[in-house]
């Protein structure tokens, strides 16, 4: 399965794996799954770290290097992804989460999220 991993799950996997649910650990640890992260997640981490958000105190560059070293593939943001955000129902207000949903939809990926509100979007989304 090709999984786009949301920002919180990426941060927890990298810094606080004890916060991951057993389902999340199972998906992330399954060698049959292809794991991807979005550049949007790095952007979110960089912005929220600079704003002093406690749960985002991570160097985005170090996070990127760690993800790549652990076999994650990087998903760039395209114009198709940005345009697809406009087609989403107004379920969630966070622009980063909306972009992740749009990317998963356009790229035919399963979005792995810890956010129950994000999981209400139509499409292949797993709330773990």
């Amino acid at each position: 399965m090709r999984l786009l991993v949301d920002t919180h799950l990426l941060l927890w996997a990298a810094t606080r794996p004890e916060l991951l649910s057993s389902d999340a650990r199972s998906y992330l640890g399954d060698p049959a799954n292809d794991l991807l992260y979005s550049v949007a997640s790095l952007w979110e981490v960089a912005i929220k770290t600079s704003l002093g958000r406690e749960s985002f105190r991570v160097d985005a560059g170090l996070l990127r290097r760690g993800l790549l070293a652990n076999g994650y593939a990087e998903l760039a943001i395209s114009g198709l992804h940005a345009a697809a955000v406009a087609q989403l129902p107004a379920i969630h207000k966070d622009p980063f989460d909306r972009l992740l949903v749009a990317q998963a939809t356009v790229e035919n990926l399963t979005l792995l999220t810890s956010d129950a509100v994000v999981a209400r979007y139509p499409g292949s989304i797993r709330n773990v």
Side-chain angles (χ1 to χ4, degrees), residues 53-64:
R53 293 274 304 268
E54 189 62 36
S55 60
F56 285 86
R57 293 196 183 266
V58 175
D59 180 291
L62 288 176
L63 178 61
R64 179 179 185 268

Side-chain angles (χ1 to χ4, degrees), residues 1-5 27 104 108-112 124-126:
M1 183 180 323
R2 296 180 67 223
L3 299 172
L4 179 60
V5 183
Y27 281 112
N108 198 28
L109 302 169
T110 297
L111 178 60
L112 200 62
S124 184
I125 301 175
R126 303 281 168 92

Side-chain angles (χ1 to χ4, degrees), residues 8-28:
H8 279 97
L9 292 176
L10 292 172
L11 289 171
W12 293 342
T15 64
R16 303 206 43 213
E18 69 275 7
L19 295 178
L20 294 170
S21 69
S22 60
D23 284 342
R25 282 193 293 275
S26 179
Y27 281 112
L28 297 177

